[in-house]
Amino acid sequence: MTENKRKTRTYLSKEDREHVVRLVKKMLGMGKYSSDIKRAVAEEFQLSRRSVERYLKRAREEMVYRMQVEPDVHRAESYYFYRSVINNPNVHPREQLRARERMDKLLGLEIPVVVQADSDLSPAKLKAMSDEEFDALYEKRMK
């Protein structure tokens, strides 16, 4: 006979559901990643990560509704704010760079970073290389 591998379903009271949504909103406001929120809430309330996704969606919808601004309007306001930061000569270059990064993300212009792992290069092998070998490897990788 096969065993049932599914967990028993957890039902939360209305108060607990509201508590979870408030907790998720607070964590989103703190800048936590969705994966961290899912893990923490799932452990705290014995929920599946999929159930927590529904709470995440509900919390985001409530946050957008509370702003009383359409998402497209908010996106446009953010765009013009970032432009003003970039064009302001009194702003530190670090903040201008950050505004440019945020604008790129807003517009979907980010380029994914590709990292190539080289399994044959261990720290011990790198230490054993001569300066010439290391410089040659460096030049090869930088091309």
Side-chain angles (χ1 to χ4, degrees):
M1 184 180 254
T2 61
E3 293 181 30
N4 187 0
K5 295 183 181 180
R6 291 179 60 183
K7 286 197 247 179
T8 58
R9 202 175 261 189
T10 304
Y11 293 97
L12 298 179
S13 66
K14 184 174 183 174
E15 294 82 25
D16 285 341
R17 288 191 304 261
E18 293 301 321
H19 178 70
V20 170
V21 172
R22 282 194 312 270
L23 177 63
V24 169
K25 285 182 192 178
K26 184 176 183 180
M27 293 177 82
L28 285 170
M30 293 169 52
K32 300 289 183 185
Y33 292 110
S34 296
S35 59
D36 294 337
I37 295 172
K38 288 179 199 177
R39 186 180 321 107
V41 172
E43 288 175 11
E44 178 73 24
F45 293 93
Q46 289 77 40
L47 297 169
S48 70
R49 292 173 65 99
R50 177 66 185 111
S51 294
V52 180
E53 284 179 19
R54 289 190 290 272
Y55 288 107
L56 263 167
K57 181 180 178 190
R58 180 174 163 199
R60 286 185 174 125
E61 287 172 352
E62 286 183 15
M63 291 168 81
V64 167
Y65 176 77
R66 215 175 156 110
M67 271 188 353
Q68 297 180 341
V69 176
E70 291 294 320
D72 292 338
V73 173
H74 179 70
R75 201 170 291 116
E77 289 173 354
S78 297
Y79 172 81
Y80 287 110
F81 171 75
Y82 295 139
R83 292 287 307 170
S84 71
V85 171
I86 291 168
N87 293 330
N88 186 345
N90 298 327
V91 173
H92 193 276
R94 180 177 49 243
E95 278 79 25
Q96 289 176 328
L97 178 61
R98 179 75 174 137
R100 177 147 326 262
E101 290 170 351
R102 295 295 303 161
M103 187 184 292
D104 288 348
K105 184 174 183 179
L106 184 71
L107 298 173
L109 300 175
E110 287 183 308
I111 299 173
V113 177
V114 178
V115 178
Q116 294 179 348
D118 207 347
S119 60
D120 63 328
L121 286 179
S122 66
K125 286 184 181 182
L126 288 172
K127 284 183 180 179
M129 283 184 183
S130 68
D131 289 342
E132 293 81 20
E133 290 173 326
F134 186 80
D135 289 340
L137 178 65
Y138 178 79
E139 289 298 322
K140 178 182 170 188
R141 296 293 170 128
M142 296 307 291
K143 288 184 182 179

